[in-house]
Amino acid sequence: MVGEALAVAEAGLAAGEQPIGAVVALGDDIIGRAYTQEKALGRRLVHADLLAMIEADEKVGFGRRPHPLRLAVTLEPCVMCLGAAMALGVREVYYALESPSDGGAEIAAGWRQSPDAPWFAAPVMVGGVRREESRELFRRYCAAAPDSPMRRWAATLIADPNPSVPG
Ligand SMILES: [Zn+2]
């Protein structure tokens, strides 16, 4: 699944966006697919994972689901997208590259589920899947994009915090 998300991120990069791609799967079916579209749409609430989840939400509605929803994204979901995943009922999240400044993995790990709303549960978060491929997309983005706050943020993702650990 992360491979599909990487292909979407590649398309986003080719379109001049940040290289962040996401897919949502129900069983074997991909029912949501998007890259971040801040540049194309000129808005902020257009993260890849959020757009892919909105598409999936429109497809499944409130009907019973034969399988749990899974999200794959090339960058750790931010806290907004983690919240959207919980509201949608995503049970598993696979992501490539960690996003220490805005990522939601720590919040997910510490989430205390309420018995009054058992559906609002933190997904299982699996990070580091094909991390180097995602990092390479950000390297290419930073090499091509003009200076901006978003480019400076993206540059922080390129630095390897654990260079001695094989990735
Ligand atoms: Zn997000």
Side-chain angles (χ1 to χ4, degrees), residues 78-99:
C78 74
V79 293
M80 170 180 76
C81 293
L82 172 65
M86 292 168 69
L88 184 60
V90 171
R91 290 292 169 250
E92 298 169 17
V93 175
Y94 301 89
Y95 61 92
L97 184 61
E98 292 79 6
S99 185

PDB file of all heavy atoms in Angstrom, residues 78-99:
ATOM      1  N   CYS A  78      -0.406  14.237  10.029  1.00  0.00           N
ATOM      2  CA  CYS A  78      -0.402  15.314  11.014  1.00  0.00           C
ATOM      3  C   CYS A  78      -1.556  15.091  12.000  1.00  0.00           C
ATOM      4  O   CYS A  78      -2.379  14.190  11.821  1.00  0.00           O
ATOM      5  CB  CYS A  78      -0.537  16.670  10.314  1.00  0.00           C
ATOM      6  SG  CYS A  78      -2.193  17.013   9.681  1.00  0.00           S
ATOM      7  N   VAL A  79      -1.641  15.914  13.014  1.00  0.00           N
ATOM      8  CA  VAL A  79      -2.681  15.701  14.025  1.00  0.00           C
ATOM      9  C   VAL A  79      -4.076  15.896  13.422  1.00  0.00           C
ATOM     10  O   VAL A  79      -5.033  15.222  13.830  1.00  0.00           O
ATOM     11  CB  VAL A  79      -2.463  16.599  15.262  1.00  0.00           C
ATOM     12  CG1 VAL A  79      -1.200  16.175  15.991  1.00  0.00           C
ATOM     13  CG2 VAL A  79      -2.417  18.064  14.888  1.00  0.00           C
ATOM     14  N   MET A  80      -4.220  16.791  12.446  1.00  0.00           N
ATOM     15  CA  MET A  80      -5.525  16.955  11.790  1.00  0.00           C
ATOM     16  C   MET A  80      -5.932  15.664  11.086  1.00  0.00           C
ATOM     17  O   MET A  80      -7.064  15.195  11.225  1.00  0.00           O
ATOM     18  CB  MET A  80      -5.463  18.098  10.762  1.00  0.00           C
ATOM     19  CG  MET A  80      -6.696  18.188   9.867  1.00  0.00           C
ATOM     20  SD  MET A  80      -6.630  19.540   8.666  1.00  0.00           S
ATOM     21  CE  MET A  80      -5.491  18.877   7.430  1.00  0.00           C
ATOM     22  N   CYS A  81      -5.007  15.104  10.338  1.00  0.00           N
ATOM     23  CA  CYS A  81      -5.335  13.911   9.557  1.00  0.00           C
ATOM     24  C   CYS A  81      -5.488  12.693  10.463  1.00  0.00           C
ATOM     25  O   CYS A  81      -6.283  11.793  10.163  1.00  0.00           O
ATOM     26  CB  CYS A  81      -4.282  13.693   8.476  1.00  0.00           C
ATOM     27  SG  CYS A  81      -4.315  15.013   7.227  1.00  0.00           S
ATOM     28  N   LEU A  82      -4.751  12.641  11.568  1.00  0.00           N
ATOM     29  CA  LEU A  82      -4.988  11.580  12.543  1.00  0.00           C
ATOM     30  C   LEU A  82      -6.421  11.668  13.064  1.00  0.00           C
ATOM     31  O   LEU A  82      -7.128  10.660  13.147  1.00  0.00           O
ATOM     32  CB  LEU A  82      -3.999  11.682  13.713  1.00  0.00           C
ATOM     33  CG  LEU A  82      -4.310  10.730  14.883  1.00  0.00           C
ATOM     34  CD1 LEU A  82      -4.165   9.276  14.465  1.00  0.00           C
ATOM     35  CD2 LEU A  82      -3.426  11.051  16.083  1.00  0.00           C
ATOM     36  N   GLY A  83      -6.864  12.879  13.388  1.00  0.00           N
ATOM     37  CA  GLY A  83      -8.236  13.054  13.862  1.00  0.00           C
ATOM     38  C   GLY A  83      -9.253  12.624  12.816  1.00  0.00           C
ATOM     39  O   GLY A  83     -10.248  11.968  13.134  1.00  0.00           O
ATOM     40  N   ALA A  84      -8.988  12.962  11.553  1.00  0.00           N
ATOM     41  CA  ALA A  84      -9.891  12.546  10.478  1.00  0.00           C
ATOM     42  C   ALA A  84      -9.918  11.025  10.359  1.00  0.00           C
ATOM     43  O   ALA A  84     -10.973  10.419  10.160  1.00  0.00           O
ATOM     44  CB  ALA A  84      -9.451  13.183   9.160  1.00  0.00           C
ATOM     45  N   ALA A  85      -8.754  10.385  10.504  1.00  0.00           N
ATOM     46  CA  ALA A  85      -8.679   8.919  10.427  1.00  0.00           C
ATOM     47  C   ALA A  85      -9.507   8.290  11.544  1.00  0.00           C
ATOM     48  O   ALA A  85     -10.202   7.287  11.337  1.00  0.00           O
ATOM     49  CB  ALA A  85      -7.219   8.458  10.507  1.00  0.00           C
ATOM     50  N   MET A  86      -9.460   8.881  12.717  1.00  0.00           N
ATOM     51  CA  MET A  86     -10.227   8.349  13.843  1.00  0.00           C
ATOM     52  C   MET A  86     -11.719   8.548  13.614  1.00  0.00           C
ATOM     53  O   MET A  86     -12.528   7.664  13.896  1.00  0.00           O
ATOM     54  CB  MET A  86      -9.759   9.015  15.137  1.00  0.00           C
ATOM     55  CG  MET A  86      -8.328   8.600  15.504  1.00  0.00           C
ATOM     56  SD  MET A  86      -7.586   9.591  16.824  1.00  0.00           S
ATOM     57  CE  MET A  86      -8.551   9.081  18.245  1.00  0.00           C
ATOM     58  N   ALA A  87     -12.096   9.708  13.084  1.00  0.00           N
ATOM     59  CA  ALA A  87     -13.513   9.967  12.818  1.00  0.00           C
ATOM     60  C   ALA A  87     -14.048   9.044  11.729  1.00  0.00           C
ATOM     61  O   ALA A  87     -15.204   8.632  11.761  1.00  0.00           O
ATOM     62  CB  ALA A  87     -13.707  11.427  12.419  1.00  0.00           C
ATOM     63  N   LEU A  88     -13.206   8.703  10.767  1.00  0.00           N
ATOM     64  CA  LEU A  88     -13.619   7.834   9.664  1.00  0.00           C
ATOM     65  C   LEU A  88     -13.620   6.362  10.073  1.00  0.00           C
ATOM     66  O   LEU A  88     -14.266   5.537   9.438  1.00  0.00           O
ATOM     67  CB  LEU A  88     -12.682   8.055   8.469  1.00  0.00           C
ATOM     68  CG  LEU A  88     -12.989   7.305   7.178  1.00  0.00           C
ATOM     69  CD1 LEU A  88     -14.378   7.676   6.648  1.00  0.00           C
ATOM     70  CD2 LEU A  88     -11.925   7.606   6.123  1.00  0.00           C
ATOM     71  N   GLY A  89     -12.875   6.036  11.120  1.00  0.00           N
ATOM     72  CA  GLY A  89     -12.790   4.634  11.546  1.00  0.00           C
ATOM     73  C   GLY A  89     -11.677   3.869  10.864  1.00  0.00           C
ATOM     74  O   GLY A  89     -11.771   2.662  10.664  1.00  0.00           O
ATOM     75  N   VAL A  90     -10.600   4.576  10.495  1.00  0.00           N
ATOM     76  CA  VAL A  90      -9.417   3.895   9.952  1.00  0.00           C
ATOM     77  C   VAL A  90      -8.761   3.109  11.083  1.00  0.00           C
ATOM     78  O   VAL A  90      -8.530   3.651  12.167  1.00  0.00           O
ATOM     79  CB  VAL A  90      -8.429   4.925   9.359  1.00  0.00           C
ATOM     80  CG1 VAL A  90      -7.104   4.265   8.993  1.00  0.00           C
ATOM     81  CG2 VAL A  90      -9.047   5.621   8.155  1.00  0.00           C
ATOM     82  N   ARG A  91      -8.469   1.842  10.845  1.00  0.00           N
ATOM     83  CA  ARG A  91      -7.928   1.000  11.909  1.00  0.00           C
ATOM     84  C   ARG A  91      -6.418   0.819  11.833  1.00  0.00           C
ATOM     85  O   ARG A  91      -5.776   0.488  12.830  1.00  0.00           O
ATOM     86  CB  ARG A  91      -8.612  -0.372  11.884  1.00  0.00           C
ATOM     87  CG  ARG A  91     -10.074  -0.312  12.316  1.00  0.00           C
ATOM     88  CD  ARG A  91     -10.182   0.032  13.811  1.00  0.00           C
ATOM     89  NE  ARG A  91     -11.553   0.352  14.192  1.00  0.00           N
ATOM     90  CZ  ARG A  91     -11.982   1.572  14.537  1.00  0.00           C
ATOM     91  NH1 ARG A  91     -11.138   2.600  14.521  1.00  0.00           N
ATOM     92  NH2 ARG A  91     -13.228   1.776  14.873  1.00  0.00           N
ATOM     93  N   GLU A  92      -5.846   0.962  10.638  1.00  0.00           N
ATOM     94  CA  GLU A  92      -4.403   0.780  10.471  1.00  0.00           C
ATOM     95  C   GLU A  92      -3.870   1.898   9.582  1.00  0.00           C
ATOM     96  O   GLU A  92      -4.472   2.198   8.553  1.00  0.00           O
ATOM     97  CB  GLU A  92      -4.082  -0.572   9.813  1.00  0.00           C
ATOM     98  CG  GLU A  92      -4.527  -1.772  10.632  1.00  0.00           C
ATOM     99  CD  GLU A  92      -4.428  -3.069   9.825  1.00  0.00           C
ATOM    100  OE1 GLU A  92      -3.737  -3.098   8.783  1.00  0.00           O
ATOM    101  OE2 GLU A  92      -5.069  -4.043  10.243  1.00  0.00           O
ATOM    102  N   VAL A  93      -2.749   2.479  10.006  1.00  0.00           N
ATOM    103  CA  VAL A  93      -2.075   3.516   9.212  1.00  0.00           C
ATOM    104  C   VAL A  93      -0.640   3.072   8.967  1.00  0.00           C
ATOM    105  O   VAL A  93       0.082   2.734   9.916  1.00  0.00           O
ATOM    106  CB  VAL A  93      -2.079   4.876   9.937  1.00  0.00           C
ATOM    107  CG1 VAL A  93      -1.272   5.904   9.149  1.00  0.00           C
ATOM    108  CG2 VAL A  93      -3.514   5.378  10.151  1.00  0.00           C
ATOM    109  N   TYR A  94      -0.249   3.042   7.715  1.00  0.00           N
ATOM    110  CA  TYR A  94       1.126   2.734   7.329  1.00  0.00           C
ATOM    111  C   TYR A  94       1.718   3.996   6.712  1.00  0.00           C
ATOM    112  O   TYR A  94       1.129   4.565   5.794  1.00  0.00           O
ATOM    113  CB  TYR A  94       1.161   1.579   6.323  1.00  0.00           C
ATOM    114  CG  TYR A  94       0.534   0.327   6.873  1.00  0.00           C
ATOM    115  CD1 TYR A  94      -0.833   0.082   6.732  1.00  0.00           C
ATOM    116  CD2 TYR A  94       1.295  -0.599   7.576  1.00  0.00           C
ATOM    117  CE1 TYR A  94      -1.426  -1.051   7.272  1.00  0.00           C
ATOM    118  CE2 TYR A  94       0.729  -1.730   8.120  1.00  0.00           C
ATOM    119  CZ  TYR A  94      -0.635  -1.952   7.970  1.00  0.00           C
ATOM    120  OH  TYR A  94      -1.212  -3.064   8.515  1.00  0.00           O
ATOM    121  N   TYR A  95       2.857   4.436   7.231  1.00  0.00           N
ATOM    122  CA  TYR A  95       3.467   5.633   6.663  1.00  0.00           C
ATOM    123  C   TYR A  95       4.958   5.421   6.496  1.00  0.00           C
ATOM    124  O   TYR A  95       5.569   4.563   7.143  1.00  0.00           O
ATOM    125  CB  TYR A  95       3.164   6.873   7.503  1.00  0.00           C
ATOM    126  CG  TYR A  95       3.653   6.856   8.931  1.00  0.00           C
ATOM    127  CD1 TYR A  95       4.912   7.377   9.260  1.00  0.00           C
ATOM    128  CD2 TYR A  95       2.880   6.334   9.956  1.00  0.00           C
ATOM    129  CE1 TYR A  95       5.362   7.387  10.564  1.00  0.00           C
ATOM    130  CE2 TYR A  95       3.334   6.328  11.270  1.00  0.00           C
ATOM    131  CZ  TYR A  95       4.569   6.857  11.568  1.00  0.00           C
ATOM    132  OH  TYR A  95       5.018   6.852  12.867  1.00  0.00           O
ATOM    133  N   ALA A  96       5.538   6.244   5.601  1.00  0.00           N
ATOM    134  CA  ALA A  96       6.941   6.049   5.246  1.00  0.00           C
ATOM    135  C   ALA A  96       7.864   6.867   6.150  1.00  0.00           C
ATOM    136  O   ALA A  96       8.679   6.316   6.894  1.00  0.00           O
ATOM    137  CB  ALA A  96       7.156   6.412   3.779  1.00  0.00           C
ATOM    138  N   LEU A  97       7.718   8.170   6.073  1.00  0.00           N
ATOM    139  CA  LEU A  97       8.687   9.059   6.720  1.00  0.00           C
ATOM    140  C   LEU A  97       8.056   9.744   7.930  1.00  0.00           C
ATOM    141  O   LEU A  97       6.912  10.187   7.860  1.00  0.00           O
ATOM    142  CB  LEU A  97       9.146  10.108   5.688  1.00  0.00           C
ATOM    143  CG  LEU A  97      10.238  11.094   6.097  1.00  0.00           C
ATOM    144  CD1 LEU A  97      11.532  10.366   6.453  1.00  0.00           C
ATOM    145  CD2 LEU A  97      10.489  12.080   4.943  1.00  0.00           C
ATOM    146  N   GLU A  98       8.803   9.819   9.009  1.00  0.00           N
ATOM    147  CA  GLU A  98       8.320  10.490  10.207  1.00  0.00           C
ATOM    148  C   GLU A  98       8.264  12.003  10.000  1.00  0.00           C
ATOM    149  O   GLU A  98       9.081  12.567   9.274  1.00  0.00           O
ATOM    150  CB  GLU A  98       9.244  10.177  11.399  1.00  0.00           C
ATOM    151  CG  GLU A  98       9.203   8.736  11.866  1.00  0.00           C
ATOM    152  CD  GLU A  98      10.027   7.788  10.983  1.00  0.00           C
ATOM    153  OE1 GLU A  98      10.737   8.263  10.064  1.00  0.00           O
ATOM    154  OE2 GLU A  98       9.946   6.562  11.221  1.00  0.00           O
ATOM    155  N   SER A  99       7.306  12.656  10.645  1.00  0.00           N
ATOM    156  CA  SER A  99       7.168  14.116  10.595  1.00  0.00           C
ATOM    157  C   SER A  99       7.145  14.649  12.023  1.00  0.00           C
ATOM    158  O   SER A  99       6.070  14.880  12.595  1.00  0.00           O
ATOM    159  CB  SER A  99       5.890  14.502   9.846  1.00  0.00           C
ATOM    160  OG  SER A  99       5.829  15.909   9.709  1.00  0.00           O
TER     161      SER A  99
END
